[in-house]
Amino acid sequence: MKKNYPEITRLRGMAIIMVLLYHSILVFPINLHEIEWCKNLHTLLWYIQMPLFFLVSGFCYSYTGSYFKYFLKKAKRILIPHLIFGFADMTLRVLPSYIPELAGMVNQKVTFKEAIVSFFLYGGEDPFLRSLFIMSVTFPLVAWLMKHEILGKAVVFTGAGLAFLFQNSITNIQCLDYISSFLVYYVIGYWCKNAHYETIKKKLLSTNALLGGIVLLAVGSILVCNHIATGISLPYGMISVLKLWGVLIAIGGALIVYRFCVHMGGFTDNIFTAAGKYSLTMYLLCGYALVVSRMIIVGKLGITTPVMVIVFNFLVDFAALWFISRYVIKPCRFLCFICGMNYEKKNKKR
């Protein structure tokens, strides 16, 4: 029987909440990135949320039965929603190029040829799901290597580390550069689950781990924000090494968030658990919800104060996406299928 880890569900919820907050820092129809604190917050959220998603995904990795069945499971869970929503996103960006009246719907508009090439070759506007699918279907080999004691683990961690350091030299075809950026977190998540997790959990909850997380987050944040503020152009060879700053933020943020997720309860627990349970559907729909919320908040209500724009967009999007996931998608078999959600048929009372 598959063991349930409540704190991991909450971590996934924390990650999707960060994604919604990240997208609430608008670039269109008003550009909040022109404001320094908004730009810095946007950057810091990116450095924490994506590694957190891949850490949780690696932790939740499970391979049983034949590879064919495993592949179909991942295709149903990840690839089908990616293809369906990728085509929908592509359509919304293509239409304004041919129907000028729709130009206000999206920030970017492309031709049909550009959209096709971008989506099939580079993952389109959603490299996360493409990368997650490729990682998932190739990871059985990685997991097999990691079962070979010290040598196998050394090969995997060394390979993931080198891929991270030299990600800027790796092609972006099929999101391979993106995969190189986050594979190491997927591997760490998998290792944590399979290396006496309860022992690791105790160490992560220690005071020293919390203090270390705060220090790493603070140092990494200062370095990254200072680099952004100076705008200094770095030599090509230094870019990958300096991405280690982001690792400090990712690890520090993950430690702090993990401790919070383990100890939360009551209403907070309900919120983060619900977000974690519907994280994929909320992720798939967040861009569409944002189009509506920003049109209402900025376009109709005329709110332009940065804090209010961010908070209102976040709250409206979170409430709408949770409601749609829980009461619209979950009861419908077809919608569950296109959103990668398991359909749970209710037993009718006789």
Side-chain angles (χ1 to χ4, degrees):
M1 185 176 178
K2 189 175 180 181
K3 187 174 180 180
N4 181 40
Y5 298 92
E7 66 273 17
I8 300 302
T9 302
R10 297 172 195 144
L11 269 177
R12 188 186 289 113
M14 175 66 81
I16 192 60
I17 284 173
M18 287 183 179
V19 168
L20 296 180
L21 185 59
Y22 173 85
H23 286 292
S24 296
I25 305 173
L26 303 180
V27 294
F28 178 82
I30 58 173
N31 189 0
L32 296 182
H33 291 210
E34 295 176 347
I35 302 171
E36 186 175 352
W37 72 266
C38 292
K39 184 178 181 180
N40 288 336
L41 176 60
H42 189 265
T43 301
L44 295 179
L45 285 170
W46 168 261
Y47 277 114
I48 298 174
Q49 70 190 26
M50 297 316 298
L52 198 56
F53 263 126
F54 284 102
L55 279 167
V56 171
S57 297
F59 186 93
C60 295
Y61 166 83
S62 177
Y63 176 81
T64 54
S66 69
Y67 180 77
F68 179 70
K69 290 182 178 179
Y70 172 80
F71 182 90
L72 289 180
K73 179 182 177 182
K74 293 302 176 183
K76 180 181 177 182
R77 172 70 174 170
I78 304 171
L79 183 59
I80 289 176
H82 171 57
L83 292 175
I84 291 174
F85 284 88
F87 275 116
D89 179 81
M90 183 173 65
T91 301
L92 289 176
R93 295 178 189 278
V94 167
L95 285 178
S97 296
Y98 304 95
I99 307 176
E101 291 79 8
L102 301 177
M105 290 178 57
V106 294
N107 183 28
Q108 301 172 339
K109 58 181 182 179
V110 296
T111 64
F112 181 74
K113 181 180 178 181
E114 290 172 338
I116 290 291
V117 171
S118 174
F119 181 70
F120 283 102
L121 212 56
Y122 305 107
E125 299 297 320
D126 181 23
F128 169 64
L129 286 182
R130 179 73 60 87
S131 300
L132 183 59
F133 176 71
I134 294 174
M135 276 191 206
S136 299
V137 297
T138 57
F139 203 76
L141 176 60
V142 178
W144 176 80
L145 284 172
M146 292 188 71
K147 291 179 180 178
H148 289 69
E149 299 302 331
I150 297 176
L151 180 60
K153 292 179 176 65
V155 170
V156 171
F157 276 104
T158 301
L162 289 174
F164 177 85
L165 288 176
F166 295 101
Q167 60 191 260
N168 295 290
S169 302
I170 298 175
T171 179
N172 61 344
I173 294 176
Q174 294 304 325
C175 305
L176 291 179
D177 58 338
Y178 197 89
I179 292 172
S180 300
S181 300
F182 298 106
L183 176 60
V184 65
Y185 299 109
Y186 196 103
V187 171
I188 291 172
Y190 171 77
W191 174 80
C192 285
K193 182 179 179 180
N194 292 274
H196 306 290
Y197 171 63
E198 292 303 326
T199 301
I200 295 174
K201 180 178 178 179
K202 290 180 181 178
K203 293 180 180 179
L204 293 178
L205 294 178
S206 68
T207 303
N208 290 336
L210 176 62
L211 293 175
I214 293 173
V215 171
L216 288 174
L217 180 61
V219 172
S221 301
I222 292 171
L223 290 172
V224 168
C225 290
N226 282 344
H227 172 60
I228 294 172
T230 56
I232 298 175
S233 179
L234 299 171
Y236 180 80
M238 286 292 293
I239 296 175
S240 293
V241 176
L242 292 177
K243 284 184 178 293
L244 292 173
W245 293 350
V247 176
L248 300 182
I249 297 176
I251 295 176
L255 286 171
I256 295 170
V257 168
Y258 178 81
R259 188 183 181 96
F260 175 70
C261 288
V262 169
H263 292 298
M264 71 172 57
F267 177 75
T268 308
D269 179 19
N270 293 335
I271 291 293
F272 281 85
T273 299
K277 184 176 181 181
Y278 301 118
S279 60
L280 180 57
T281 53
M282 295 176 81
Y283 175 83
L284 291 168
L285 296 171
C286 68
Y288 304 96
L290 183 63
V291 170
V292 177
S293 64
R294 73 189 182 193
M295 286 177 62
I296 295 173
I297 293 166
V298 179
K300 299 297 183 181
L301 300 180
I303 297 173
T304 56
T305 304
V307 173
M308 295 180 68
V309 169
I310 294 171
V311 172
F312 284 2
N313 267 293
F314 169 74
L315 292 177
V316 169
D317 289 349
F318 179 84
L321 291 173
W322 176 82
F323 181 87
I324 292 171
S325 299
R326 173 66 178 84
Y327 294 104
V328 178
I329 296 175
K330 185 179 178 181
C332 178
R333 185 190 296 272
F334 174 72
L335 292 178
C336 283
F337 173 74
I338 66 174
C339 292
M341 182 188 293
N342 292 324
Y343 174 71
E344 299 175 2
K345 187 176 181 180
K346 294 183 178 180
N347 294 322
K348 294 182 179 181
K349 294 182 179 180
R350 295 182 178 180

